Amino acid sequence: MRQLVLIIYFTLSSLVIWAQEPVSIHLTEANGLPDIEFYDSIEDTEGYIWLAGNKGLFRYDGKEYIAYSHPEKRGRSFFNLKLDTKGRLWFNNIAGQFFYIENNKIRLFIDVQNRLNGALADYTVHEKYLLVHESRATIWIDLNTKKIVNTTPNVVGTNIGYLENDRYYYLSINNKLVYQDIQTKEIKEAVKTQLNPTKEYAAFTGFHKISNGCLLFFQSKTGDQNSLFHIQNEIITELQLPVELNKTRTQAIQEFDKLFYFATMNGVFVTKRAGNQLKIIAHYLQSYATTEIIKDFQQNLWIPTLNTGVFVIPNESLRILSSSKKNVSTLEKKTDSTYFIGDTKGNLQIANLKGKIKKTFNFNDNSNIRKLNYNPTTKILYYNSDKQVLKYHTENKTSNRIQKLSPAKSISHIKDDQYLQSYSHGTFYGNDEKNKEINQKRAYKSIYSKHNKKAYIANIDGLLLYDSLFNFQKTIQHNNKPIFSFDIDEASDGTIWAATYDNGVLGIKNDEVITVLTTENGLASKSINKIKTDGKNLWIVTDNGLQYYTSNTQTFQTINKRDGLLSYNINNIETFGDEVVFSSNIGMFCFDKHTVFKQWNTPEVYFTHINLEEKQVPLATSYTIKQQQSEIEIRFNSKGFQSDKFVNYEYQLKGFNDSWNVVDKGQLAVKFNTLPAGNFTFNLRAKNTNGTEYSEPKSIQFKITLPFWKQAWFIILIMCTVLAIVILYYKKQIRLREKQKNKELQQLEIDKQLVNLRLENLRSQMNPHFIFNALNSIQEYIVLNQQNLASTYLVKFSRLIRTYLEQSQEKEITLDQELKALHLYLELEKIRFEEELTYEVSVAENLELETIKIPSLFIQPYIENAIKHGLHHKIDNRKLAISFLKNNEQLICEITDNGIGRKAAQKLKESQTQYYKSFATRANTERVELINKDRLQKIEVLISDLTDENQQPTGTRVSIQIPLKK
């Protein structure tokens, strides 16, 4: 749904008839209107304005237009807005579809295209039936069954007729005014005397309900056979139409305050009945094709047009006198019905109260006319412009030029030809020939009070008082301070009114301030532009409107832009009994002071929508909200034209703060970022800007609930849970500590065993037999005087012993360290076997010798076993192959010998009565088991026997698989 925000731009009608016309506000697409071509308008029972036009159906709510549509509609235009007895809005289209609004949505009631054949049919709605006018008859459609239950023949081309007192009134097929009883369907004549049978009436007719009967209007396409009849109490009376209404097509007729308004193709005619005649008393918007005219609950006239949008006339009493006179600088009353007009271009004219120019003067002046003062007794006009000062005798038509240094700011008549005049350089009194200076200070306004016989001068020092001889008496004060005023005027009872800059308007009597008008007691604004007395009363121009202060009742009445006052920049006001004329920067206006003030009804507020956490939710009278989601925005509005600009709102959140808070001007929403838990009532009320009565408050209930984590049961549960967690935590910590302690004890035991096993390995590697053989070999080299061999052997043996001792201190050593130790050991063993031992150590190139770690003293015992138990018992060709390679993140060490095999070696051990026990083999086996306890990937040692084709032993292979640490 498209929403368009209405931004009011005040514009004037282009032409004026009889020199005056009510001020109208022109709504177009440029300032928010969704269309410019409208066929009908209506105000519903809730105060909404509906507009049916070329682009569809729209509702105005006081601020914006909302478009309404239906998915099954054919075409986009709607026509014939009507309300039924339930307050539902009905309308139709050319395609034969009939709709109504219910629960703020369009409902398609029926489609009778097959009966209407593309004609736009008129209709009326009874509480039981929808009556639709087709070509030659009226069809009755039951509202419940949607079936056609009756057909009534009638005049071709006429509209549907009207319903009253359960009767359907219409023109029969022979042009008789009849009615049909809704219940019995019986048809009877509606009037005692029928239409003139000898006169031919136009085919296009319209029935228009008024307060005392109905108007029956006949018109033709050419508009020269129009006739109007009044139907009341079975009497039909022909009313004589003005010539203008016989020459234009009329779209609608409405009655307001006993006046008949005709919406025509040439504007709106306002007529008044005088006997059996209608007389035109006003003609609005004469150059526009108007289609309807309605008056809303605030008494605003809404006038839609065919191609230029909508005009709104807020106040028929407020009239514009001349759209061309936008440069008026001063007004001066001449008689009770005429006045002088002076403008910024030196033009001086006399006009009457209707704005008609009676006379134009030519003083060869093209400068700004500053001040005019007319003395009705002497018939002399004092003329003061930027270029010249003249004294003009209106009877003799003679003028005298007076030399002045600068134009006067004010001129006040004293007596005869004596004046009190104020200038930017001081204030003077006297006549044209002789002036006496009263004050040399810059003055703004001065008046001579004939009632008090005193002079009052408003200048830069304050408000000064002079006696009848113009001797200074005193400075009038208020609250012991000077009164700084820019405009003063005298009422008929001698009260001097002074407009101040900051202290409102002051009423002075007997040279003392007796009345103070401020915003607290009704003044529309602290910013005042001008004042003008009207008898005992006072006109006040403020930035928020033109006000009329009645001194007897001490009350204000206000005209503002809501009434059609186009500008607050009013520079002159003149009163003529009940008529008031004023000029502003955009033209001249007049009004009757008894009818211009409208009684604005207290606006009714309503809620438009509710946002929770910035998401719109359906409207309801109460809400239950979690506290953590209590960001609430309440949007609202009030019905009525421009209500958003001239309605003040106050809200109260009862249960939180019972005081009423003012909503900022122009705001139509109240937002609460968060609310505590509890029950609250949001109350909203409104009043007109210058009103005193508030509307009945509208309310919404809010229940804010605490989040479950703030509720008592949850807090108790959390406390119990925390306590249980603490207890379980400490129990778990105790178990973990005990487990850790046991683990540490186990680890200590394992480490102890590993140390013992390393010592056993070391003892195995340093067994006495090996040491004895080594020392014996050294001794033999010495005896044979092979000193070099003895020295070399001794160095290798000592290096090996030192390496074993160093490695026994570490849990792990690098592969490089292991290989160096193995090479020393094998070299010594080869010497011991007197070169009868051949060995080969191969290392894969992809092994990182410096980074790969293996358990210390781990590989050598398996090599020692291969030599001792496999190769030692072999007579010759002893071969030992040792290889290191990497496979699947494992270090594979294979030790292969070509010895006698495990079975033969075991038999030899068993045959010996006392044989050497291998500490290293047992220690390594136990050590592997202990090391694997702390490893996810285990070390594996695989021993396999090698055989030939005849299954004879050919050696032994030991495969050690050590997972590489990542």
Side-chain angles (χ1 to χ4, degrees):
M1 183 180 293
R2 184 177 58 171
Q3 294 186 339
L4 297 174
V5 178
L6 176 63
I7 306 171
I8 300 298
Y9 289 102
F10 293 96
T11 59
L12 301 179
S13 176
S14 60
L15 295 176
V16 181
I17 188 169
W18 298 324
Q20 55 179 315
E21 181 173 320
V23 174
S24 60
I25 299 170
H26 191 187
L27 309 179
T28 67
E29 287 181 312
N31 48 45
L33 196 68
D35 196 357
I36 61 170
E37 184 174 340
F38 292 99
Y39 312 126
D40 204 358
S41 63
I42 197 170
E43 182 184 41
D44 66 16
T45 56
E46 296 183 355
Y48 294 113
I49 298 295
W50 295 84
L51 298 168
N54 179 52
K55 293 183 180 179
L57 180 68
F58 306 93
R59 189 190 76 177
Y60 173 70
D61 63 359
K63 180 183 179 183
E64 58 191 8
Y65 297 95
I66 301 174
Y68 285 75
S69 187
H70 192 277
E72 297 181 29
K73 72 171 184 177
R74 295 191 296 273
R76 63 178 182 175
S77 302
F78 290 122
F79 305 85
N80 297 331
L81 301 176
K82 298 183 181 183
L83 294 173
D84 65 10
T85 55
K86 296 181 180 179
R88 297 180 301 185
L89 178 68
W90 288 74
F91 47 96
N92 66 335
N93 59 18
I94 296 177
Q97 294 174 305
F98 289 80
F99 305 85
Y100 63 88
I101 299 287
E102 189 172 56
N103 297 327
N104 205 31
K105 290 185 179 179
I106 290 186
R107 312 289 184 183
L108 174 60
F109 174 71
I110 199 169
D111 189 334
V112 289
Q113 183 183 21
N114 59 333
R115 298 293 299 258
L116 301 179
N117 298 320
L120 179 63
D122 194 14
Y123 68 94
T124 188
V125 186
H126 183 262
E127 60 184 13
K128 292 183 179 180
Y129 305 104
L130 171 68
L131 279 64
V132 179
H133 179 258
E134 57 177 6
S135 177
R136 295 178 177 272
T138 297
I139 56 175
W140 300 49
I141 303 172
D142 190 286
L143 293 183
N144 293 322
T145 65
K146 299 184 180 181
K147 302 293 184 181
I148 298 176
V149 296
N150 190 37
T151 302
T152 301
N154 55 18
V155 173
V156 178
T158 185
N159 72 352
I160 190 65
Y162 67 99
L163 293 168
E164 187 174 64
N165 298 327
D166 226 16
R167 295 175 177 179
Y168 166 47
Y169 290 83
Y170 65 97
L171 282 176
S172 68
I173 199 165
N174 55 359
N175 273 340
K176 286 187 176 182
L177 184 65
V178 299
Y179 71 84
Q180 186 171 14
D181 190 280
I182 296 294
Q183 304 299 332
T184 65
K185 308 300 186 292
E186 184 180 3
I187 299 175
K188 294 182 179 181
E189 291 192 8
V191 292
K192 296 177 181 178
T193 303
Q194 288 290 346
L195 300 173
N196 187 351
T198 63
K199 185 174 180 179
E200 181 180 352
Y201 295 104
F204 293 98
T205 64
F207 290 91
H208 307 275
K209 285 287 295 177
I210 59 175
S211 60
N212 59 345
C214 182
L215 295 178
L216 176 57
F217 189 67
F218 293 88
Q219 59 182 331
S220 66
K221 290 183 180 180
T222 59
D224 56 0
Q225 298 177 8
N226 297 348
S227 303
L228 182 68
F229 294 88
H230 178 216
I231 305 166
Q232 183 184 16
N233 299 328
E234 299 185 11
I235 303 297
I236 184 167
T237 305
E238 184 172 6
L239 303 179
Q240 184 176 346
L241 288 171
V243 175
E244 291 83 356
L245 291 177
N246 263 329
K247 295 182 179 180
T248 183
R249 181 162 180 77
T250 298
Q251 301 294 328
I253 303 175
Q254 297 287 356
E255 178 198 28
F256 305 119
D257 300 324
K258 298 182 179 180
L259 299 178
F260 297 147
Y261 290 72
F262 290 74
T264 76
M265 301 304 288
N266 294 325
V268 174
F269 290 89
V270 184
T271 66
K272 185 176 183 180
R273 182 173 177 177
N276 292 335
Q277 290 186 338
L278 291 187
K279 293 184 178 181
I280 297 175
I281 62 173
H283 187 184
Y284 309 154
L285 310 172
Q286 67 175 11
S287 61
Y288 296 96
T290 61
T291 56
E292 180 60 277
I293 180 166
I294 63 172
K295 184 174 284 191
D296 65 20
F297 73 100
Q298 298 285 27
Q299 304 303 302
N300 300 302
L301 291 179
W302 289 73
I303 306 172
T305 69
L306 276 181
N307 52 18
T308 50
V310 176
F311 289 88
V312 179
I313 299 177
N315 196 325
E316 288 184 85
S317 293
L318 182 60
R319 307 179 301 277
I320 183 166
L321 291 177
S322 174
S323 60
S324 62
K325 279 289 183 182
K326 297 182 180 180
N327 56 350
V328 174
S329 58
T330 184
L331 297 177
E332 177 68 8
K333 183 175 180 179
K334 183 177 186 293
T335 67
D336 289 340
S337 60
T338 60
Y339 52 91
F340 294 96
I341 304 173
D343 65 22
T344 58
K345 297 181 179 179
N347 298 310
L348 179 65
Q349 297 171 320
I350 297 178
N352 63 14
L353 294 181
K354 290 186 177 181
K356 183 177 180 180
I357 303 301
K358 308 292 289 185
K359 187 175 183 179
T360 300
F361 298 88
N362 184 5
F363 292 137
N364 296 320
D365 192 353
N366 57 3
S367 66
N368 188 5
I369 301 175
R370 296 289 184 175
K371 290 296 174 185
L372 296 172
N373 184 276
Y374 180 70
N375 187 340
T377 303
T378 63
K379 311 295 184 182
I380 293 176
L381 175 68
Y382 203 99
Y383 173 100
N384 196 315
S385 74
D386 287 345
K387 184 177 180 181
Q388 60 185 339
V389 177
L390 299 175
K391 189 168 73 171
Y392 179 76
H393 198 291
T394 58
E395 292 290 327
N396 300 332
K397 299 181 181 180
T398 59
S399 62
N400 297 324
R401 184 165 184 172
I402 306 168
Q403 296 297 326
K404 297 291 182 183
L405 296 177
S406 61
K409 289 183 174 292
S410 69
I411 305 171
S412 177
H413 181 253
I414 302 174
K415 64 178 181 178
D416 300 329
D417 62 346
Q418 300 223 344
Y419 295 85
L420 180 66
Q421 304 173 50
S422 289
Y423 300 87
S424 59
H425 58 277
T427 302
F428 303 82
Y429 77 93
N431 54 28
D432 303 334
E433 298 177 357
K434 185 177 181 181
N435 280 321
K436 183 177 180 181
E437 185 177 74
I438 301 175
N439 189 290
Q440 295 181 348
K441 298 292 183 68
R442 181 184 185 90
Y444 304 108
K445 181 75 177 286
S446 62
I447 62 171
Y448 181 79
S449 171
K450 296 179 182 178
H451 185 279
N452 299 315
K453 306 299 182 184
K454 295 178 181 179
Y456 298 84
I457 301 174
N459 69 7
I460 60 174
D461 290 332
L463 184 58
L464 310 182
L465 176 63
Y466 292 81
D467 62 18
S468 59
L469 300 177
F470 301 100
N471 297 313
F472 175 74
Q473 285 191 323
K474 68 173 184 177
T475 299
I476 302 175
Q477 294 187 333
H478 175 56
N479 293 332
N480 297 320
K481 294 181 180 179
I483 299 171
F484 294 103
S485 174
F486 59 89
D487 196 9
I488 53 178
D489 204 4
E490 181 181 17
S492 60
D493 62 353
T495 301
I496 304 299
W497 291 98
T500 70
Y501 294 101
D502 300 314
N503 298 315
V505 179
L506 305 180
I508 302 166
K509 204 161 190 179
N510 298 324
D511 305 330
E512 299 291 338
V513 175
I514 61 169
T515 304
V516 180
L517 305 181
T518 66
T519 54
E520 296 177 357
N521 56 21
L523 198 63
S525 172
K526 291 181 179 180
S527 181
I528 302 163
N529 301 324
K530 188 172 184 58
I531 61 174
K532 177 70 176 181
T533 58
D534 184 2
K536 293 182 180 181
N537 303 323
L538 181 68
W539 291 97
I540 308 170
V541 181
T542 76
D543 278 353
N544 287 333
L546 174 60
Q547 292 189 285
Y548 186 61
Y549 176 73
T550 305
S551 59
N552 289 339
T553 59
Q554 298 181 354
T555 56
F556 288 91
Q557 292 174 287
T558 305
I559 313 169
N560 54 31
K561 290 183 179 179
R562 196 176 189 184
D563 299 277
L565 188 62
L566 303 184
S567 172
Y568 297 151
N569 188 20
I570 298 172
N571 49 33
N572 290 279
I573 304 175
E574 287 294 340
T575 61
F576 302 86
D578 294 340
E579 197 77 6
V580 177
V581 177
F582 67 90
S583 62
S584 72
N585 60 312
I586 58 174
M588 293 183 58
F589 305 84
C590 68
F591 56 82
D592 185 316
K593 67 182 180 184
H594 294 296
T595 61
V596 73
F597 297 107
K598 291 174 62 174
Q599 184 62 43
W600 291 98
N601 298 323
T602 303
E604 180 183 356
V605 297
Y606 64 96
F607 299 109
T608 56
H609 59 268
I610 306 294
N611 289 339
L612 299 179
E613 296 294 312
E614 298 184 352
K615 292 182 179 179
Q616 185 172 340
V617 297
L619 281 174
T621 57
S622 62
Y623 297 87
T624 299
I625 305 169
K626 297 178 181 179
Q627 188 187 33
Q628 66 270 28
Q629 297 175 340
S630 62
E631 181 182 295
I632 304 169
E633 184 181 40
I634 305 164
R635 302 196 70 84
F636 48 84
N637 200 1
S638 59
K639 303 179 185 74
F641 183 58
Q642 302 183 83
S643 61
D644 60 320
K645 299 179 182 299
F646 297 99
V647 174
N648 296 332
Y649 300 93
E650 292 184 354
Y651 72 91
Q652 174 195 59
L653 189 61
K654 202 168 185 180
F656 182 79
N657 185 351
D658 290 349
S659 62
W660 287 92
N661 304 283
V662 177
V663 179
D664 292 341
K665 193 68 176 177
Q667 293 294 318
L668 293 175
V670 173
K671 187 174 183 180
F672 302 99
N673 292 323
T674 183
L675 289 175
N679 296 318
F680 306 99
T681 302
F682 178 83
N683 294 318
L684 180 70
R685 66 184 185 183
K687 69 178 181 66
N688 291 308
T689 303
N690 299 310
T692 57
E693 295 184 1
Y694 286 93
S695 64
E696 286 294 322
K698 291 295 178 68
S699 301
I700 297 179
Q701 307 291 329
F702 292 101
K703 182 179 181 181
I704 311 299
T705 61
L706 281 171
F708 67 89
W709 61 82
K710 290 186 178 181
Q711 299 184 24
W713 66 267
F714 184 79
I715 294 174
I716 294 172
L717 177 63
I718 289 297
M719 292 175 64
C720 293
T721 303
V722 170
L723 181 61
I725 290 174
V726 170
I727 293 173
L728 292 174
Y729 174 77
Y730 279 106
K731 284 186 176 181
K732 183 178 181 180
Q733 288 297 109
I734 292 171
R735 288 197 300 270
L736 288 175
R737 289 180 182 178
E738 291 179 350
K739 185 177 180 180
Q740 183 66 23
K741 183 177 180 181
N742 292 333
K743 185 176 181 180
E744 290 175 356
L745 291 174
Q746 291 177 2
Q747 187 63 40
L748 289 173
E749 183 64 26
I750 291 172
D751 290 344
K752 180 180 178 182
Q753 293 179 25
L754 287 173
V755 169
N756 291 333
L757 290 174
R758 285 201 302 272
L759 291 174
E760 287 192 18
N761 278 349
L762 179 61
R763 183 175 64 182
S764 170
Q765 292 166 338
M766 300 179 64
N767 63 72
H769 182 69
F770 172 74
I771 295 173
F772 174 78
N773 288 338
L775 294 175
N776 189 40
S777 297
I778 293 170
Q779 182 183 9
E780 183 177 352
Y781 289 145
I782 294 172
V783 170
L784 295 176
N785 199 24
Q786 295 179 343
Q787 296 179 3
N788 291 333
L789 291 175
S791 175
T792 301
Y793 196 94
L794 182 59
V795 170
K796 290 182 180 180
F797 176 70
S798 62
R799 286 173 58 190
L800 181 62
I801 296 302
R802 185 177 64 185
T803 299
Y804 285 159
L805 291 174
E806 289 175 352
Q807 291 180 359
S808 66
Q809 304 299 317
E810 304 292 336
K811 288 185 178 181
E812 292 181 331
I813 60 174
T814 65
L815 181 58
D816 183 62
Q817 291 174 318
E818 182 68 18
L819 289 172
K820 290 178 180 178
L822 288 179
H823 278 293
L824 287 174
Y825 171 73
L826 289 172
E827 286 178 3
L828 292 176
E829 286 289 70
K830 185 176 182 179
I831 293 172
R832 186 167 70 85
F833 279 92
E834 297 179 350
E835 302 298 332
E836 292 296 330
L837 174 65
T838 302
Y839 69 88
E840 180 182 4
V841 178
S842 61
V843 181
E845 293 182 356
N846 63 344
L847 290 176
E848 298 176 356
L849 304 181
E850 297 294 336
T851 58
I852 296 176
K853 294 289 187 74
I854 62 175
S856 63
L857 307 176
F858 191 73
I859 302 296
Q860 188 271 343
Y862 293 101
I863 297 174
E864 180 185 350
N865 275 347
I867 293 174
K868 286 183 179 180
H869 303 295
L871 298 177
H872 177 71
H873 300 290
K874 191 173 183 180
I875 299 175
D876 57 5
N877 192 25
R878 300 183 181 96
K879 292 183 180 180
L880 179 66
I882 304 168
S883 65
F884 292 89
L885 57 89
K886 182 180 179 181
N887 184 24
N888 294 330
E889 299 303 322
Q890 284 189 331
L891 175 65
I892 309 297
C893 176
E894 289 188 350
I895 303 168
T896 305
D897 65 72
N898 62 348
I900 61 175
R902 287 190 297 173
K903 290 183 179 180
Q906 185 63 30
K907 288 180 180 181
L908 289 175
K909 289 181 183 179
E910 293 175 353
S911 64
Q912 296 176 358
T913 56
Q914 194 172 14
Y915 61 90
Y916 171 72
K917 185 177 181 181
S918 177
F919 293 102
T921 302
R922 177 181 58 79
N924 258 16
T925 301
E926 294 179 1
R927 191 177 176 198
V928 168
E929 292 176 357
L930 291 174
I931 290 173
N932 282 342
K933 285 184 178 182
D934 291 334
R935 283 177 173 262
L936 294 176
Q937 295 175 316
K938 311 298 183 180
I939 296 176
E940 294 185 14
V941 178
L942 303 176
I943 302 176
S944 58
D945 296 318
L946 302 178
T947 59
D948 58 12
E949 296 177 356
N950 299 320
Q951 299 300 315
Q952 295 298 317
T954 59
T956 305
R957 176 180 295 145
V958 178
S959 178
I960 305 171
Q961 300 175 4
I962 305 174
L964 298 177
K965 292 184 178 180
K966 296 182 180 179

